[in-house]
Amino acid sequence: MTSSVTPFPTDPSHTDADDGPDESPACILIFNASDPSGAGGLTADITTVASVGGHPVAVVCGAYARDTAQIFDHFPFDDEAVADQARAVLEDLPVQAIKIGFVGSPENISAIAEITADYDEIPVVAYMPNLSWWREELIDEYLDAFKELLLPQTSVLVGNHSTLWRWLLPDWTGARNPTARDIARAASEMGVPYTLVTGIPLPEQFVENVLASPQTVLGSGKFELFDATFSGAGDTLSAALTALVGAGNDLGEATSEALSYLDRCLDAGFRPGMGHIVPDRMFWAQPDDGDDEDDDDETDAGQTPGAALVETQALEGFVMPPHDTKH
């Protein structure tokens, strides 16, 4: 059902101390909003980064009022509070990669852009979620600021096909839907070298996730759709990718492993409330149930319908570039 790549610990009893005193998890700086439901936001990022072996350094940019079914509102932090949190840890910890999620306001975008400009040797992974729950005028202001201030400093942009299409190609008039390369080309005009486009529709209930540059498709993974609705998949994928890049993997390897990790999180997903299913980001830590001789029967009877990674195109050799400041 899933890829054999396992970026998460296969033996939870193993610690970095076993590898010697110089081994420590990569520090991953995260900018995102607090999600009290645990479906997405900082909760998803922190759990994911820790699950794949990184040390989450989490900056709270605001808070959602939400449950597992929908977002009701968002309350942004003051931009000075966001900047002070980030600069305090950056002066203390050796941050290896930065993940930017939903940060709540153009003012916070500006503050974060100043910070990433000061640390332009650190790769930046930016995730753009679906903002359709928000007021239209706030969406426009946020997207315009993100495009102007943060995309020029982004190493990899991550987002759903329809979300990135509406944002980066709003006047698309082609007879066909834009491809991942079309979207990557639009992102590159803002300075983004790589774009990971997720959820590209394929025939027969399949979707494709594609890592692309303006010049070529660097790799892809084909998935069968789950018969379920998830909250937090995008934050999970982008946080895993950031942590794996920060740990020293090249971009191709990190993307393959992040997609495999997400697939297994979704396959083990659970419904904690009355809303959507939440990815189980710590699936590998769950105890095994049943006797060994019953494993085959349990697998056949207990498979979650839908989204297995069924095909991947090799991704290798693409070194993550540090972003260049373009302000």
Side-chain angles (χ1 to χ4, degrees), residues 189-260:
E189 293 177 1
M190 306 298 156
V192 181
Y194 300 112
T195 303
L196 177 55
V197 184
T198 66
I200 302 172
L202 295 176
E204 300 179 356
Q205 294 299 303
F206 286 91
V207 294
E208 189 174 30
N209 301 323
V210 177
L211 178 66
S213 71
Q215 294 76 31
T216 187
V217 169
L218 306 175
S220 64
K222 180 181 177 183
F223 290 75
E224 184 179 1
L225 281 172
F226 275 106
D227 186 18
T229 302
F230 289 85
S231 290
D235 274 321
T236 303
L237 175 61
S238 52
L241 176 62
T242 311
L244 291 163
V245 166
N249 297 281
D250 69 50
L251 180 56
E253 181 181 5
T255 302
S256 292
E257 293 194 358
L259 288 170
S260 174

Side-chain angles (χ1 to χ4, degrees), residues 271-315:
R271 182 179 279 111
M274 296 182 290
H276 300 151
I277 295 175
V278 173
D280 185 354
R281 302 165 184 111
M282 300 291 287
F283 64 86
W284 51 267
Q286 299 301 323
D288 293 329
D289 294 327
D291 297 328
D292 291 341
E293 59 267 23
D294 295 331
D295 283 352
D296 291 340
D297 291 339
E298 289 177 356
T299 299
D300 291 339
Q303 287 177 350
T304 302
L309 174 62
V310 295
E311 179 181 337
T312 57
Q313 179 178 330
L315 292 162

Side-chain angles (χ1 to χ4, degrees), residues 71-139:
I71 299 171
F72 302 103
D73 206 347
H74 175 269
F75 311 100
F77 269 23
D78 179 81
D79 57 313
E80 185 175 348
V82 171
D84 286 351
Q85 290 178 77
R87 292 195 182 276
V89 292
L90 281 163
E91 291 174 4
D92 177 45
L93 302 174
V95 169
Q96 300 300 314
I98 297 171
K99 185 244 168 129
I100 301 173
F102 180 63
V103 302
S105 69
E107 292 78 16
N108 284 346
I109 288 173
S110 179
I112 294 168
E114 290 183 12
I115 292 167
T116 55
D118 290 342
Y119 293 86
D120 63 353
E121 74 282 2
I122 303 175
V124 174
V125 176
Y127 168 58
M128 181 54 67
N130 181 350
L131 300 177
S132 60
W133 56 270
W134 215 13
R135 298 204 308 271
E136 186 173 351
E137 68 275 14
L138 296 179
I139 296 173

